[in-house]
Amino acid sequence: MVQNDKKKKKKREGSDAVITLDRVSKSYSSGSPALDNVSLTIKKGEFVFIVGDSGSGKSTLIKLLLRELTPTSGRVIVNGADVARLKRRQVPKFRRNLGIVFQDFRLLNDRNVYENVAFAQRVIQMPTKLMRKNVPNALAEVGLAGKYKAKTKQLSGGEQQRVALARALVNEPPILLADEPTGNLDPKNSWEIMKLLERINEERGTTILVVTHNREIVNEMKKRVITMKKGVVISDEEKGGYIDED
Ligand code: ADP
Ligand code: MG
């Protein structure tokens, strides 16, 4: 692409967009689509909640961003990459842009805390010397510096999720995706995780997308809130709240 076209393209997408969905639909089978013609833009450094009933397409959206899935139609652009067009061999490098946290932590339960975080650094072949700085830094950032030797099974749910968060952040990805990260946590630990995410967003400028059902937290934090229903974005508000229906 010549330079000029590149510039035009950037302008069209919004130069600071890190995530763009352009008329994206995703169908799993012949029934109604899980995502139905969704368009949205998320800018660098935003903190966005995605809310909506179970089955409204939130996880499908996250999987499209991760390229676990490709859209049935439309385009998904993440950090400048048209995700569906990536070749299989390009996917691992693409995923380095993305930190990901799930509801069920997904830790390696036969390894200790340090090894769970170090694992992410080994995958990208971080030199050992740097890894020995980065892993303790990431653990300190989530408040677990003293627990690096613990087996993950010995930790509370809140602590396990903080290990998962350290693992997601240790490679310093520009984008963090969290699919119901507090779904298995009590209110106190839920708040701690959300406050950590907020701090990371503010201090590092990491773009953060959080899928959640936590009404109270969404209402208090006053972030951008995208509400989905049956595969469609029904509301998208700056400093939004949880929409009460029924
Ligand atoms: P949410 O995360 O908001 O609960 P999902 O994205 O998981 O919603 O699901 C959206 C819709 O797609 C639901 O109707 C769900 O049953 C369907 N769906 C999700 N994953 C699959 C799959 N692997 N195969 C078939 N249907 C699926
Ligand atoms: Mg889901």
Side-chain angles (χ1 to χ4, degrees):
M1 203 187 296
V2 296
Q3 200 57 36
N4 220 12
D5 282 354
K6 234 184 198 166
K7 263 193 201 143
K8 272 190 209 151
K9 187 156 173 272
K10 272 228 149 159
K11 194 162 188 195
R12 202 167 52 239
E13 285 168 0
S15 53
D16 50 358
V18 284
I19 293 172
T20 304
L21 272 75
D22 179 16
R23 289 164 290 168
V24 170
S25 295
K26 175 67 189 178
S27 298
Y28 290 101
S29 54
S30 52
S32 48
L35 285 183
D36 190 359
N37 204 27
V38 170
S39 293
L40 56 88
T41 301
I42 293 172
K43 291 183 190 150
K44 187 171 176 350
E46 278 197 282
F47 187 119
V48 183
F49 283 123
I50 299 176
V51 305
D53 296 340
S54 178
S56 58
K58 305 179 301 294
S59 293
T60 299
L61 172 59
I62 297 286
K63 286 175 186 164
L64 287 168
L65 300 177
L66 287 167
R67 208 206 195 246
E68 264 183 49
L69 297 171
T70 51
T72 309
S73 63
R75 284 194 318 154
V76 178
I77 316 280
V78 178
N79 234 14
D82 185 334
V83 176
R85 285 170 160 245
L86 293 172
K87 301 211 166 59
R88 190 183 300 261
R89 63 180 164 76
Q90 296 174 309
V91 171
K93 190 164 178 220
F94 163 75
R95 290 213 176 115
R96 289 185 199 172
N97 292 311
L98 303 163
I100 171 89
V101 176
F102 300 96
Q103 177 171 0
D104 56 359
F105 319 138
R106 302 197 190 178
L107 300 174
L108 303 165
N109 287 322
D110 55 342
R111 318 244 179 122
N112 67 23
V113 166
Y114 184 93
E115 273 306 318
N116 267 273
V117 179
F119 184 78
Q121 294 255 285
R122 296 191 204 282
V123 168
I124 65 165
Q125 295 173 326
M126 182 63 65
T128 309
K129 208 175 155 192
L130 291 173
M131 187 175 84
R132 286 186 183 145
K133 275 193 208 147
N134 295 341
V135 175
N137 282 346
L139 286 171
E141 186 149 24
V142 301
L144 285 178
K147 298 252 177 178
Y148 69 98
K149 276 187 182 162
K151 282 272 163 57
T152 57
K153 277 180 286 192
Q154 298 162 342
L155 303 176
S156 70
E159 287 171 332
Q160 288 187 52
Q161 192 60 301
R162 283 190 275 150
V163 176
L165 191 52
R167 180 182 59 188
L169 291 169
V170 70
N171 297 344
E172 303 200 354
I175 302 170
L176 182 77
L177 307 174
D179 194 351
E180 307 205 25
T182 64
N184 287 343
L185 303 181
D186 61 27
K188 179 171 171 284
N189 279 299
S190 297
W191 268 113
E192 280 177 16
I193 292 290
M194 290 294 190
K195 285 286 163 193
L196 262 172
L197 292 174
E198 183 176 50
R199 204 184 75 209
I200 286 151
N201 170 252
E202 286 170 358
E203 289 180 1
R204 294 196 190 183
T206 307
T207 306
I208 300 191
L209 259 72
V210 184
V211 173
T212 186
H213 283 116
N214 200 313
R215 182 178 296 264
E216 186 195 316
I217 288 177
V218 170
N219 286 340
E220 295 237 343
M221 283 178 69
K222 306 272 190 295
K223 304 294 187 189
R224 177 176 172 191
V225 181
I226 295 174
T227 307
M228 313 224 5
K229 187 172 186 176
K230 294 183 181 159
V232 175
V233 172
I234 58 163
S235 143
D236 183 349
E237 291 197 52
E238 295 298 330
K239 299 192 177 147
Y242 219 94
I243 293 181
D244 280 303
E245 286 199 61
D246 321 313

